[in-house]
Amino acid sequence: MSPHITSKLPNVGTTIFTVMSGLANQHNAINLGQGFPDYQMNEELMNMVSEVMQKGWNQYVPMQGYMPLRESIAEKIESLYQTRINADTQITITPGGTYAIYTALTSILQPGDEVIIFEPGYDSYIPNVEINGAVPVLIDLRFPEYKIDWTGVRKKISRKTKVIMLNSPHNPTGAVLSEEDIRQLKDIVKDTGIFIVSDEVYEHLIFDGIPHQSILRYPELLERSFVCFSFGKTYNCTGWKLGYCISSPSSMTEFRKVHQFNCFCCHTPSQVALAEFLKNKDAYLSLNGIMQEKRDYFIELMGSTKFDLLNSSGSYFICAKYNRISDEADKDFAIRVTKEHGVATIPVSVFYKAGTDNKVIRFCFSKKKETLETAVERLIKI
Ligand code: PMP
Ligand code: GLN
């Protein structure tokens, strides 16, 4: 008898990002699908990493992360959100935001627990819940604004609800949470045992002067939350896979129990360099403006196409309806546009477990001007 794995994730295939990037390469298409910048990251930060490597920072740091980096993060949080975080007990450096979310959910969940997930939603959340034997409870965001229907949330809360997953700025839609959303959230979770896992990897990609409603601003929410971040998004280096998680000290103790036997500690030279680089406020505060300019330029260019863009207030992404072009299913349409017109995008139905198809595709605009221009020249012809 040969060994056999009973899959823990029987319904999971290869992620759409891998599929569409593969298709883009195969057909020499411009890749506005998977979310990553096609321009160089900050040169000073690259040089700093290389210098600290030369100086010998190449061995393990503590499991929780390099302490001066955690201290710099705590200072940044205090200046941005006026909340004091204990660098020793409340921050853990992780290999990326996805890992932080997975570790948070794994720390919290027991089989049978329910997790409220809004759809469309980032593709890792549901498998992260299911691999822990817990149950995703899915709620559609209100199309086409992609706002949370809090009355709907109240109806889905049960004695088994253990976590509400949040993501603002939101992938794939670019929607952001408002103060009213936070008020509703506070009201729903007070006097319950519900945790919040808040995916804030796009914290520095929010436009039009809208303040980022970080859970870190609200101590009464933070005490029941795991808040997850990614340096990849903040410093245009998605391939670094470095991030961090913030929670209460008692929750962080459990998080670290999972983390220490999975990853133990993250890449040392990047942490040592970031500990210094994080003190440069301008490097992260300027990002909103830079990315907003890209969004606005893309919107202007797309005005000459038959796509109808939806609103994007944050993230790298903007969604578009294509009903003036085709009534194909969004997956078929996205694949055809990649193959025949040389522009790769992401069909939004993949962010719904049931494959709900509102005939919308997602564009990533964190690209060089020339890339956006060439892509739109092609899209105009459709
Ligand atoms: N959450 C969301 C919503 C994302 O879009 C991404 C990234 N692409 C992540 C988490 C993951 O970040 P990282 O690459 O640091 O794991
Ligand atoms: N977050 C990126 C996106 O949504 C992709 C990350 C990944 O490939 N896993 O496009």
Side-chain angles (χ1 to χ4, degrees), residues 118-121 138-143 146 172 322 328-331 346-361:
F118 298 104
E119 290 195 312
L138 306 172
I139 301 180
D140 279 3
L141 295 169
R142 273 199 318 254
F143 181 75
Y146 296 110
Y322 55 86
E328 281 162 282
D330 66 352
K331 269 191 208 162
I346 302 286
V348 171
S349 66
V350 301
F351 298 97
Y352 291 88
K353 189 166 193 199
T356 305
D357 185 0
N358 290 312
K359 309 277 170 88
V360 168
I361 56 175

Side-chain angles (χ1 to χ4, degrees), residues 17 33-35 122 171 202 233 317 362:
F17 307 117
Q34 193 174 26
Y122 190 54
N171 181 4
Y202 298 107
K233 309 291 168 182
F317 308 115
R362 185 193 83 176

Side-chain angles (χ1 to χ4, degrees), residues 96-98 101 122 125 167 171 199 201-202 230 233 238 241 317:
T98 314
I101 295 161
Y122 190 54
Y125 303 157
N167 172 212
N171 181 4
D199 177 348
V201 300
Y202 298 107
S230 169
K233 309 291 168 182
T238 59
K241 294 301 292 188
F317 308 115

Side-chain angles (χ1 to χ4, degrees), residues 16-17 19-21 23-24 29-35 298 302 307 317-320 322 330-339 342-348 350-351 360-364 375 379 382:
I16 189 69
F17 307 117
V19 171
M20 291 309 290
S21 285
L23 205 63
I30 296 174
N31 192 353
L32 302 189
Q34 193 174 26
F298 187 63
M302 288 292 281
F307 288 91
F317 308 115
I318 189 160
C319 292
Y322 55 86
D330 66 352
K331 269 191 208 162
D332 296 339
F333 181 70
I335 290 171
R336 189 168 67 78
V337 171
T338 310
K339 287 184 181 169
V343 180
T345 59
I346 302 286
V348 171
V350 301
F351 298 97
V360 168
I361 56 175
R362 185 193 83 176
F363 291 93
C364 172
L379 296 173
I382 308 181

Side-chain angles (χ1 to χ4, degrees), residues 116-120 139-154 164-168 170 173 175-178 180-182 184-185 188 196:
I116 295 209
I117 294 178
F118 298 104
E119 290 195 312
I139 301 180
D140 279 3
L141 295 169
R142 273 199 318 254
F143 181 75
E145 302 84 16
Y146 296 110
K147 291 280 175 211
I148 296 178
D149 167 12
W150 290 105
T151 313
V153 176
R154 281 172 204 276
I164 298 177
M165 273 295 320
L166 290 180
N167 172 212
S168 179
H170 184 254
T173 69
V176 299
L177 291 180
S178 65
E180 171 59 15
D181 288 316
I182 298 289
Q184 294 274 359
L185 177 68
I188 283 179
I196 295 159

